[in-house]
Amino acid sequence: MTDRRAELAARLAEVDQRVERACRDAGRGRDEVTLVVVTKFFPAEDVVHLAGLGVTDVGENRHQEASTKMAELPGDVRAELRAHFIGQLQSNKAAAVTQYADVVQSLDRVKVARGLARGAQERGRVLDVTLQIDLEDGADGRGGVRPAEVASLAEEVAGLEGLRLRGVMAVAPLGADPVPAFERLGELHRAVLEQHPGATWMSAGMSGDLEQAIAAGATHLRVGSAILGSRPPQR
Ligand SMILES: *Cc1c(COP(=O)(O)O)cnc(C)c1O
């Protein structure tokens, strides 16, 4: 085993233990929660190591980087992985993301939804999507649909051929207690579920708050630095 692979194996095992413990504390099954390992800023070789260590889902947040990295993966590795796009999307890039993304978690407006639907249809496939909800209601500019507009966006997305509405996603507000934020997300998720019974996913929880997310009902975690190590500051 290379040093890097051993390092990734050790951190992945630590995160797995945290996830397992949090599931037990919440009275949930470990199989209710999918770990998406966020590999942004790290090379394709790391993705190959992670796949070899049993990782099934990876996340990326920049179109150019994700596109290049996914194309660099050996075909057999790529075929075994589900690639989640989790970053902000411009509507003119949306169709291109469907070249490599199996899931787009960061869908937050109708224009982007239409671009994704067009790309998926051109490729004759169906794209899984979750709606990114802005839990700060416009205060931070990190993207996301405002809570008051979730229902209408969900309706719009559900009506588009090429997209399958799988659920909701959010990032906890920076520097604030994640517990009320994730509880709010859980409520918004239940409202979406009432209208769209297939939208069972709730993507929440990162390196620092995955326990709170699991307690609030998260089905998908997006964990980067706790597994890959620290990365250069973004933007
Ligand atoms: C980078 C990123 C993550 C992972 O964050 P960590 O704190 O490194 O675990 C999760 N979600 C989104 C949307 C991200 O951009």
Side-chain angles (χ1 to χ4, degrees):
M1 227 194 249
T2 64
D3 287 354
R4 179 59 173 162
R5 182 166 161 144
E7 184 184 329
L8 292 172
R11 291 216 202 88
L12 183 62
E14 262 171 48
V15 167
D16 266 329
Q17 277 178 13
R18 286 174 60 192
V19 173
E20 224 166 85
R21 196 175 314 130
C23 284
R24 204 176 329 119
D25 289 348
R28 303 181 60 201
R30 172 65 185 86
D31 59 355
E32 292 175 46
V33 177
T34 300
L35 177 65
V36 179
V37 180
V38 179
T39 48
K40 65 190 183 198
F41 287 105
F42 291 93
E45 297 87 79
D46 280 354
V47 179
V48 174
H49 287 318
L50 290 165
L53 293 166
V55 167
T56 55
D57 292 76
V58 293
E60 287 286 335
N61 75 335
R62 290 169 193 233
H63 171 58
Q64 197 52 59
E65 178 186 345
S67 161
T68 307
K69 201 181 297 180
M70 290 301 132
E72 282 170 5
L73 294 175
D76 56 333
V77 172
R78 178 66 193 91
E80 297 280 297
L81 282 174
R82 223 173 355 249
H84 298 246
F85 190 80
I86 62 172
Q88 289 194 33
L89 262 180
Q90 291 163 270
S91 51
N92 61 350
K93 298 263 175 67
V97 170
T98 64
Q99 271 168 18
Y100 58 84
D102 300 294
V103 181
V104 170
Q105 293 200 8
S106 42
L107 175 46
D108 64 356
R109 53 196 194 278
V110 172
K111 256 183 119 173
V112 167
R114 294 204 179 114
L116 291 173
R118 181 163 49 78
Q121 282 178 61
E122 280 167 7
R123 294 181 172 80
R125 50 180 296 240
V126 175
L127 182 73
D128 285 324
V129 297
T130 61
L131 306 186
Q132 180 176 354
I133 301 182
D134 178 5
L135 295 173
E136 291 175 89
D137 218 355
D140 76 327
R142 279 191 296 178
V145 57
R146 295 190 178 206
E149 288 153 24
V150 171
S152 64
L153 181 59
E155 201 55 44
E156 190 87 33
V157 168
L160 287 173
E161 207 172 311
L163 302 186
R164 180 162 47 214
L165 178 61
R166 298 308 301 262
V168 299
M169 176 273 226
V171 180
L174 257 177
D177 181 0
V179 171
F182 291 150
E183 282 172 359
R184 175 112 193 272
L185 180 64
E187 283 163 25
L188 293 162
H189 182 214
R190 284 188 287 279
V192 171
L193 257 178
E194 268 178 35
Q195 303 299 317
H196 308 279
T200 54
W201 297 4
M202 173 168 144
S203 174
M206 320 200 314
S207 293
D209 55 20
L210 66 89
E211 286 85 358
Q212 292 91 336
I214 289 171
T219 61
H220 289 68
L221 311 171
R222 307 177 310 270
V223 178
S225 49
I227 295 169
L228 277 302
S230 55
R231 54 183 176 260
Q234 277 188 266
R235 257 154 247 161

PDB file of all heavy atoms in Angstrom, residues 36-38 40-41 60-61 86-88 105-106 132 169-171 203 205-209 221-227 229 231 234-235, ligand 1:
ATOM      1  N   VAL A  36     -20.857  10.217   0.694  1.00  0.00           N
ATOM      2  CA  VAL A  36     -20.314  10.770  -0.548  1.00  0.00           C
ATOM      3  C   VAL A  36     -18.988  11.436  -0.181  1.00  0.00           C
ATOM      4  O   VAL A  36     -18.967  12.376   0.620  1.00  0.00           O
ATOM      5  CB  VAL A  36     -21.281  11.810  -1.165  1.00  0.00           C
ATOM      6  CG1 VAL A  36     -20.695  12.394  -2.451  1.00  0.00           C
ATOM      7  CG2 VAL A  36     -22.658  11.192  -1.418  1.00  0.00           C
ATOM      8  N   VAL A  37     -17.905  10.950  -0.731  1.00  0.00           N
ATOM      9  CA  VAL A  37     -16.592  11.518  -0.398  1.00  0.00           C
ATOM     10  C   VAL A  37     -16.283  12.645  -1.380  1.00  0.00           C
ATOM     11  O   VAL A  37     -16.251  12.437  -2.601  1.00  0.00           O
ATOM     12  CB  VAL A  37     -15.486  10.440  -0.432  1.00  0.00           C
ATOM     13  CG1 VAL A  37     -14.143  11.065  -0.083  1.00  0.00           C
ATOM     14  CG2 VAL A  37     -15.811   9.306   0.540  1.00  0.00           C
ATOM     15  N   VAL A  38     -16.091  13.848  -0.832  1.00  0.00           N
ATOM     16  CA  VAL A  38     -15.885  15.037  -1.660  1.00  0.00           C
ATOM     17  C   VAL A  38     -14.403  15.171  -1.997  1.00  0.00           C
ATOM     18  O   VAL A  38     -13.570  15.409  -1.126  1.00  0.00           O
ATOM     19  CB  VAL A  38     -16.409  16.293  -0.942  1.00  0.00           C
ATOM     20  CG1 VAL A  38     -16.168  17.541  -1.806  1.00  0.00           C
ATOM     21  CG2 VAL A  38     -17.900  16.147  -0.647  1.00  0.00           C
ATOM     22  N   LYS A  40     -12.944  17.254  -4.311  1.00  0.00           N
ATOM     23  CA  LYS A  40     -12.536  18.515  -4.949  1.00  0.00           C
ATOM     24  C   LYS A  40     -11.132  18.913  -4.485  1.00  0.00           C
ATOM     25  O   LYS A  40     -10.797  18.736  -3.305  1.00  0.00           O
ATOM     26  CB  LYS A  40     -13.529  19.613  -4.612  1.00  0.00           C
ATOM     27  CG  LYS A  40     -13.582  19.994  -3.132  1.00  0.00           C
ATOM     28  CD  LYS A  40     -14.755  20.916  -2.841  1.00  0.00           C
ATOM     29  CE  LYS A  40     -14.757  21.351  -1.390  1.00  0.00           C
ATOM     30  NZ  LYS A  40     -16.060  21.877  -0.982  1.00  0.00           N
ATOM     31  N   PHE A  41     -10.341  19.439  -5.408  1.00  0.00           N
ATOM     32  CA  PHE A  41      -8.950  19.854  -5.173  1.00  0.00           C
ATOM     33  C   PHE A  41      -7.969  18.695  -5.073  1.00  0.00           C
ATOM     34  O   PHE A  41      -6.774  18.901  -4.964  1.00  0.00           O
ATOM     35  CB  PHE A  41      -8.786  20.716  -3.912  1.00  0.00           C
ATOM     36  CG  PHE A  41      -9.319  22.102  -4.059  1.00  0.00           C
ATOM     37  CD1 PHE A  41     -10.508  22.465  -3.466  1.00  0.00           C
ATOM     38  CD2 PHE A  41      -8.634  23.040  -4.824  1.00  0.00           C
ATOM     39  CE1 PHE A  41     -11.005  23.744  -3.608  1.00  0.00           C
ATOM     40  CE2 PHE A  41      -9.131  24.319  -4.976  1.00  0.00           C
ATOM     41  CZ  PHE A  41     -10.321  24.675  -4.359  1.00  0.00           C
ATOM     42  N   GLU A  60     -18.007  16.402  -6.357  1.00  0.00           N
ATOM     43  CA  GLU A  60     -17.147  17.452  -6.917  1.00  0.00           C
ATOM     44  C   GLU A  60     -17.969  18.729  -7.017  1.00  0.00           C
ATOM     45  O   GLU A  60     -19.174  18.672  -7.240  1.00  0.00           O
ATOM     46  CB  GLU A  60     -16.688  17.055  -8.330  1.00  0.00           C
ATOM     47  CG  GLU A  60     -15.643  15.950  -8.360  1.00  0.00           C
ATOM     48  CD  GLU A  60     -14.259  16.427  -7.931  1.00  0.00           C
ATOM     49  OE1 GLU A  60     -13.980  17.645  -8.073  1.00  0.00           O
ATOM     50  OE2 GLU A  60     -13.467  15.606  -7.450  1.00  0.00           O
ATOM     51  N   ASN A  61     -17.290  19.892  -6.880  1.00  0.00           N
ATOM     52  CA  ASN A  61     -18.080  21.122  -6.905  1.00  0.00           C
ATOM     53  C   ASN A  61     -17.702  22.109  -8.001  1.00  0.00           C
ATOM     54  O   ASN A  61     -18.237  23.210  -8.034  1.00  0.00           O
ATOM     55  CB  ASN A  61     -18.040  21.812  -5.544  1.00  0.00           C
ATOM     56  CG  ASN A  61     -16.725  22.504  -5.293  1.00  0.00           C
ATOM     57  OD1 ASN A  61     -15.700  22.118  -5.867  1.00  0.00           O
ATOM     58  ND2 ASN A  61     -16.740  23.523  -4.459  1.00  0.00           N
ATOM     59  N   ILE A  86     -21.932  18.836  -6.704  1.00  0.00           N
ATOM     60  CA  ILE A  86     -22.487  19.499  -5.511  1.00  0.00           C
ATOM     61  C   ILE A  86     -22.221  20.998  -5.498  1.00  0.00           C
ATOM     62  O   ILE A  86     -22.466  21.665  -4.503  1.00  0.00           O
ATOM     63  CB  ILE A  86     -21.923  18.857  -4.212  1.00  0.00           C
ATOM     64  CG1 ILE A  86     -20.405  19.029  -4.139  1.00  0.00           C
ATOM     65  CG2 ILE A  86     -22.287  17.373  -4.123  1.00  0.00           C
ATOM     66  CD1 ILE A  86     -19.792  18.596  -2.805  1.00  0.00           C
ATOM     67  N   GLY A  87     -21.694  21.540  -6.612  1.00  0.00           N
ATOM     68  CA  GLY A  87     -21.313  22.953  -6.628  1.00  0.00           C
ATOM     69  C   GLY A  87     -22.326  23.846  -7.312  1.00  0.00           C
ATOM     70  O   GLY A  87     -23.309  23.373  -7.890  1.00  0.00           O
ATOM     71  N   GLN A  88     -22.073  25.138  -7.256  1.00  0.00           N
ATOM     72  CA  GLN A  88     -22.988  26.068  -7.921  1.00  0.00           C
ATOM     73  C   GLN A  88     -22.867  25.901  -9.430  1.00  0.00           C
ATOM     74  O   GLN A  88     -21.783  25.705  -9.955  1.00  0.00           O
ATOM     75  CB  GLN A  88     -22.655  27.500  -7.506  1.00  0.00           C
ATOM     76  CG  GLN A  88     -23.042  27.745  -6.048  1.00  0.00           C
ATOM     77  CD  GLN A  88     -23.055  29.228  -5.684  1.00  0.00           C
ATOM     78  OE1 GLN A  88     -23.376  30.080  -6.509  1.00  0.00           O
ATOM     79  NE2 GLN A  88     -22.708  29.527  -4.446  1.00  0.00           N
ATOM     80  N   GLN A 105     -26.677  17.469  -7.049  1.00  0.00           N
ATOM     81  CA  GLN A 105     -27.314  17.761  -5.758  1.00  0.00           C
ATOM     82  C   GLN A 105     -27.672  19.232  -5.606  1.00  0.00           C
ATOM     83  O   GLN A 105     -28.464  19.589  -4.748  1.00  0.00           O
ATOM     84  CB  GLN A 105     -26.364  17.387  -4.611  1.00  0.00           C
ATOM     85  CG  GLN A 105     -26.083  15.912  -4.478  1.00  0.00           C
ATOM     86  CD  GLN A 105     -25.573  15.559  -3.089  1.00  0.00           C
ATOM     87  OE1 GLN A 105     -25.565  16.389  -2.170  1.00  0.00           O
ATOM     88  NE2 GLN A 105     -25.148  14.326  -2.913  1.00  0.00           N
ATOM     89  N   SER A 106     -27.062  20.088  -6.453  1.00  0.00           N
ATOM     90  CA  SER A 106     -27.120  21.526  -6.206  1.00  0.00           C
ATOM     91  C   SER A 106     -28.084  22.253  -7.133  1.00  0.00           C
ATOM     92  O   SER A 106     -27.882  23.408  -7.467  1.00  0.00           O
ATOM     93  CB  SER A 106     -25.709  22.095  -6.365  1.00  0.00           C
ATOM     94  OG  SER A 106     -25.080  21.509  -7.506  1.00  0.00           O
ATOM     95  N   GLN A 132     -31.109  22.036  -3.839  1.00  0.00           N
ATOM     96  CA  GLN A 132     -30.316  22.660  -2.775  1.00  0.00           C
ATOM     97  C   GLN A 132     -31.119  23.783  -2.155  1.00  0.00           C
ATOM     98  O   GLN A 132     -31.538  24.724  -2.833  1.00  0.00           O
ATOM     99  CB  GLN A 132     -28.990  23.195  -3.320  1.00  0.00           C
ATOM    100  CG  GLN A 132     -28.162  23.837  -2.205  1.00  0.00           C
ATOM    101  CD  GLN A 132     -26.791  24.300  -2.649  1.00  0.00           C
ATOM    102  OE1 GLN A 132     -26.378  24.051  -3.786  1.00  0.00           O
ATOM    103  NE2 GLN A 132     -26.095  24.988  -1.751  1.00  0.00           N
ATOM    104  N   MET A 169     -31.104  18.972  -0.430  1.00  0.00           N
ATOM    105  CA  MET A 169     -29.719  19.087   0.029  1.00  0.00           C
ATOM    106  C   MET A 169     -29.530  20.456   0.654  1.00  0.00           C
ATOM    107  O   MET A 169     -30.209  21.413   0.259  1.00  0.00           O
ATOM    108  CB  MET A 169     -28.799  18.920  -1.183  1.00  0.00           C
ATOM    109  CG  MET A 169     -27.323  19.099  -0.930  1.00  0.00           C
ATOM    110  SD  MET A 169     -26.741  20.804  -1.060  1.00  0.00           S
ATOM    111  CE  MET A 169     -25.269  20.572  -2.046  1.00  0.00           C
ATOM    112  N   ALA A 170     -28.649  20.560   1.644  1.00  0.00           N
ATOM    113  CA  ALA A 170     -28.311  21.878   2.180  1.00  0.00           C
ATOM    114  C   ALA A 170     -26.954  21.829   2.869  1.00  0.00           C
ATOM    115  O   ALA A 170     -26.458  20.772   3.261  1.00  0.00           O
ATOM    116  CB  ALA A 170     -29.367  22.377   3.154  1.00  0.00           C
ATOM    117  N   VAL A 171     -26.397  23.010   3.016  1.00  0.00           N
ATOM    118  CA  VAL A 171     -25.168  23.225   3.775  1.00  0.00           C
ATOM    119  C   VAL A 171     -25.578  23.995   5.022  1.00  0.00           C
ATOM    120  O   VAL A 171     -26.338  24.969   4.917  1.00  0.00           O
ATOM    121  CB  VAL A 171     -24.163  24.071   2.956  1.00  0.00           C
ATOM    122  CG1 VAL A 171     -22.880  24.290   3.727  1.00  0.00           C
ATOM    123  CG2 VAL A 171     -23.888  23.423   1.607  1.00  0.00           C
ATOM    124  N   SER A 203     -29.623  15.256   1.777  1.00  0.00           N
ATOM    125  CA  SER A 203     -28.170  15.370   1.780  1.00  0.00           C
ATOM    126  C   SER A 203     -27.761  16.501   2.689  1.00  0.00           C
ATOM    127  O   SER A 203     -28.040  17.675   2.435  1.00  0.00           O
ATOM    128  CB  SER A 203     -27.668  15.629   0.352  1.00  0.00           C
ATOM    129  OG  SER A 203     -26.284  15.887   0.360  1.00  0.00           O
ATOM    130  N   GLY A 205     -24.718  17.354   6.135  1.00  0.00           N
ATOM    131  CA  GLY A 205     -23.651  16.830   6.974  1.00  0.00           C
ATOM    132  C   GLY A 205     -22.348  16.771   6.214  1.00  0.00           C
ATOM    133  O   GLY A 205     -22.274  16.204   5.130  1.00  0.00           O
ATOM    134  N   MET A 206     -21.323  17.422   6.779  1.00  0.00           N
ATOM    135  CA  MET A 206     -19.990  17.451   6.197  1.00  0.00           C
ATOM    136  C   MET A 206     -19.014  16.977   7.289  1.00  0.00           C
ATOM    137  O   MET A 206     -19.425  16.358   8.266  1.00  0.00           O
ATOM    138  CB  MET A 206     -19.674  18.871   5.711  1.00  0.00           C
ATOM    139  CG  MET A 206     -20.891  19.529   5.044  1.00  0.00           C
ATOM    140  SD  MET A 206     -20.565  20.925   3.941  1.00  0.00           S
ATOM    141  CE  MET A 206     -19.430  21.935   4.847  1.00  0.00           C
ATOM    142  N   SER A 207     -17.726  17.252   7.091  1.00  0.00           N
ATOM    143  CA  SER A 207     -16.732  16.736   8.038  1.00  0.00           C
ATOM    144  C   SER A 207     -17.034  17.117   9.482  1.00  0.00           C
ATOM    145  O   SER A 207     -16.839  16.315  10.398  1.00  0.00           O
ATOM    146  CB  SER A 207     -15.333  17.270   7.673  1.00  0.00           C
ATOM    147  OG  SER A 207     -14.925  16.719   6.436  1.00  0.00           O
ATOM    148  N   GLY A 208     -17.485  18.362   9.690  1.00  0.00           N
ATOM    149  CA  GLY A 208     -17.639  18.860  11.055  1.00  0.00           C
ATOM    150  C   GLY A 208     -19.000  18.629  11.687  1.00  0.00           C
ATOM    151  O   GLY A 208     -19.153  18.846  12.902  1.00  0.00           O
ATOM    152  N   ASP A 209     -19.980  18.232  10.899  1.00  0.00           N
ATOM    153  CA  ASP A 209     -21.327  18.171  11.482  1.00  0.00           C
ATOM    154  C   ASP A 209     -22.111  16.933  11.032  1.00  0.00           C
ATOM    155  O   ASP A 209     -23.337  16.942  11.028  1.00  0.00           O
ATOM    156  CB  ASP A 209     -22.107  19.459  11.161  1.00  0.00           C
ATOM    157  CG  ASP A 209     -22.174  19.772   9.670  1.00  0.00           C
ATOM    158  OD1 ASP A 209     -21.964  18.848   8.853  1.00  0.00           O
ATOM    159  OD2 ASP A 209     -22.436  20.940   9.325  1.00  0.00           O
ATOM    160  N   LEU A 221     -24.298  11.985   3.226  1.00  0.00           N
ATOM    161  CA  LEU A 221     -23.322  12.881   3.832  1.00  0.00           C
ATOM    162  C   LEU A 221     -22.334  13.284   2.748  1.00  0.00           C
ATOM    163  O   LEU A 221     -22.053  12.491   1.862  1.00  0.00           O
ATOM    164  CB  LEU A 221     -22.563  12.167   4.951  1.00  0.00           C
ATOM    165  CG  LEU A 221     -23.396  11.423   5.984  1.00  0.00           C
ATOM    166  CD1 LEU A 221     -22.481  10.585   6.879  1.00  0.00           C
ATOM    167  CD2 LEU A 221     -24.201  12.404   6.829  1.00  0.00           C
ATOM    168  N   ARG A 222     -21.818  14.499   2.842  1.00  0.00           N
ATOM    169  CA  ARG A 222     -20.801  14.943   1.883  1.00  0.00           C
ATOM    170  C   ARG A 222     -19.542  15.288   2.670  1.00  0.00           C
ATOM    171  O   ARG A 222     -19.445  16.370   3.244  1.00  0.00           O
ATOM    172  CB  ARG A 222     -21.293  16.172   1.111  1.00  0.00           C
ATOM    173  CG  ARG A 222     -22.663  15.992   0.447  1.00  0.00           C
ATOM    174  CD  ARG A 222     -23.103  17.285  -0.225  1.00  0.00           C
ATOM    175  NE  ARG A 222     -22.981  18.432   0.664  1.00  0.00           N
ATOM    176  CZ  ARG A 222     -23.945  18.863   1.474  1.00  0.00           C
ATOM    177  NH1 ARG A 222     -25.126  18.283   1.514  1.00  0.00           N
ATOM    178  NH2 ARG A 222     -23.733  19.902   2.270  1.00  0.00           N
ATOM    179  N   VAL A 223     -18.606  14.365   2.714  1.00  0.00           N
ATOM    180  CA  VAL A 223     -17.447  14.528   3.591  1.00  0.00           C
ATOM    181  C   VAL A 223     -16.163  14.662   2.771  1.00  0.00           C
ATOM    182  O   VAL A 223     -15.833  13.771   1.991  1.00  0.00           O
ATOM    183  CB  VAL A 223     -17.333  13.349   4.574  1.00  0.00           C
ATOM    184  CG1 VAL A 223     -16.100  13.512   5.456  1.00  0.00           C
ATOM    185  CG2 VAL A 223     -18.602  13.255   5.433  1.00  0.00           C
ATOM    186  N   GLY A 224     -15.473  15.792   2.937  1.00  0.00           N
ATOM    187  CA  GLY A 224     -14.226  16.040   2.219  1.00  0.00           C
ATOM    188  C   GLY A 224     -13.009  15.966   3.113  1.00  0.00           C
ATOM    189  O   GLY A 224     -12.337  14.937   3.204  1.00  0.00           O
ATOM    190  N   SER A 225     -12.739  17.074   3.812  1.00  0.00           N
ATOM    191  CA  SER A 225     -11.458  17.212   4.511  1.00  0.00           C
ATOM    192  C   SER A 225     -11.190  16.149   5.579  1.00  0.00           C
ATOM    193  O   SER A 225     -10.040  15.798   5.813  1.00  0.00           O
ATOM    194  CB  SER A 225     -11.347  18.615   5.107  1.00  0.00           C
ATOM    195  OG  SER A 225     -12.507  18.933   5.822  1.00  0.00           O
ATOM    196  N   ALA A 226     -12.200  15.615   6.213  1.00  0.00           N
ATOM    197  CA  ALA A 226     -11.960  14.587   7.229  1.00  0.00           C
ATOM    198  C   ALA A 226     -11.368  13.322   6.617  1.00  0.00           C
ATOM    199  O   ALA A 226     -10.754  12.517   7.319  1.00  0.00           O
ATOM    200  CB  ALA A 226     -13.253  14.242   7.978  1.00  0.00           C
ATOM    201  N   ILE A 227     -11.509  13.166   5.310  1.00  0.00           N
ATOM    202  CA  ILE A 227     -10.959  11.983   4.643  1.00  0.00           C
ATOM    203  C   ILE A 227      -9.749  12.336   3.779  1.00  0.00           C
ATOM    204  O   ILE A 227      -8.710  11.691   3.838  1.00  0.00           O
ATOM    205  CB  ILE A 227     -12.048  11.289   3.791  1.00  0.00           C
ATOM    206  CG1 ILE A 227     -13.150  10.749   4.715  1.00  0.00           C
ATOM    207  CG2 ILE A 227     -11.445  10.142   2.955  1.00  0.00           C
ATOM    208  CD1 ILE A 227     -14.404  10.282   4.002  1.00  0.00           C
ATOM    209  N   GLY A 229      -7.990  15.263   3.807  1.00  0.00           N
ATOM    210  CA  GLY A 229      -7.059  16.204   4.405  1.00  0.00           C
ATOM    211  C   GLY A 229      -7.472  17.621   4.054  1.00  0.00           C
ATOM    212  O   GLY A 229      -8.404  17.831   3.298  1.00  0.00           O
ATOM    213  N   ARG A 231      -7.584  21.299   2.412  1.00  0.00           N
ATOM    214  CA  ARG A 231      -7.367  21.749   1.046  1.00  0.00           C
ATOM    215  C   ARG A 231      -7.117  23.251   1.055  1.00  0.00           C
ATOM    216  O   ARG A 231      -7.433  23.930   2.024  1.00  0.00           O
ATOM    217  CB  ARG A 231      -8.585  21.423   0.188  1.00  0.00           C
ATOM    218  CG  ARG A 231      -9.860  21.971   0.763  1.00  0.00           C
ATOM    219  CD  ARG A 231     -11.102  21.617  -0.014  1.00  0.00           C
ATOM    220  NE  ARG A 231     -12.257  22.122   0.707  1.00  0.00           N
ATOM    221  CZ  ARG A 231     -13.031  21.383   1.488  1.00  0.00           C
ATOM    222  NH1 ARG A 231     -12.799  20.102   1.643  1.00  0.00           N
ATOM    223  NH2 ARG A 231     -14.042  21.923   2.131  1.00  0.00           N
ATOM    224  N   GLN A 234     -10.963  28.079  -0.618  1.00  0.00           N
ATOM    225  CA  GLN A 234     -11.748  28.207  -1.842  1.00  0.00           C
ATOM    226  C   GLN A 234     -12.019  29.652  -2.172  1.00  0.00           C
ATOM    227  O   GLN A 234     -12.387  30.418  -1.308  1.00  0.00           O
ATOM    228  CB  GLN A 234     -13.092  27.522  -1.653  1.00  0.00           C
ATOM    229  CG  GLN A 234     -13.053  26.028  -1.889  1.00  0.00           C
ATOM    230  CD  GLN A 234     -14.457  25.481  -1.872  1.00  0.00           C
ATOM    231  OE1 GLN A 234     -14.925  25.030  -0.836  1.00  0.00           O
ATOM    232  NE2 GLN A 234     -15.123  25.537  -2.995  1.00  0.00           N
ATOM    233  N   ARG A 235     -11.916  29.973  -3.446  1.00  0.00           N
ATOM    234  CA  ARG A 235     -12.288  31.272  -4.008  1.00  0.00           C
ATOM    235  C   ARG A 235     -11.537  32.434  -3.408  1.00  0.00           C
ATOM    236  O   ARG A 235     -11.089  32.392  -2.291  1.00  0.00           O
ATOM    237  CB  ARG A 235     -13.797  31.552  -3.875  1.00  0.00           C
ATOM    238  CG  ARG A 235     -14.471  31.342  -5.211  1.00  0.00           C
ATOM    239  CD  ARG A 235     -15.938  30.971  -5.011  1.00  0.00           C
ATOM    240  NE  ARG A 235     -16.142  29.611  -5.440  1.00  0.00           N
ATOM    241  CZ  ARG A 235     -17.188  28.874  -5.080  1.00  0.00           C
ATOM    242  NH1 ARG A 235     -18.072  29.345  -4.262  1.00  0.00           N
ATOM    243  NH2 ARG A 235     -17.315  27.681  -5.536  1.00  0.00           N
TER     244      ARG A 235
HETATM  245  C1  LIG B   1     -16.541  20.998   0.009  1.00  0.00           C
HETATM  246  C2  LIG B   1     -17.948  20.658   0.261  1.00  0.00           C
HETATM  247  C3  LIG B   1     -18.279  19.672   1.214  1.00  0.00           C
HETATM  248  C4  LIG B   1     -17.257  18.940   2.057  1.00  0.00           C
HETATM  249  O1  LIG B   1     -16.838  19.751   3.109  1.00  0.00           O
HETATM  250  P1  LIG B   1     -15.829  19.233   4.241  1.00  0.00           P
HETATM  251  O2  LIG B   1     -16.001  20.194   5.335  1.00  0.00           O
HETATM  252  O3  LIG B   1     -14.466  19.253   3.620  1.00  0.00           O
HETATM  253  O4  LIG B   1     -16.228  17.865   4.619  1.00  0.00           O
HETATM  254  C5  LIG B   1     -19.628  19.377   1.370  1.00  0.00           C
HETATM  255  N1  LIG B   1     -20.595  19.996   0.659  1.00  0.00           N
HETATM  256  C6  LIG B   1     -20.307  20.938  -0.255  1.00  0.00           C
HETATM  257  C7  LIG B   1     -21.416  21.588  -1.001  1.00  0.00           C
HETATM  258  C8  LIG B   1     -18.976  21.298  -0.480  1.00  0.00           C
HETATM  259  O5  LIG B   1     -18.702  22.244  -1.391  1.00  0.00           O
END
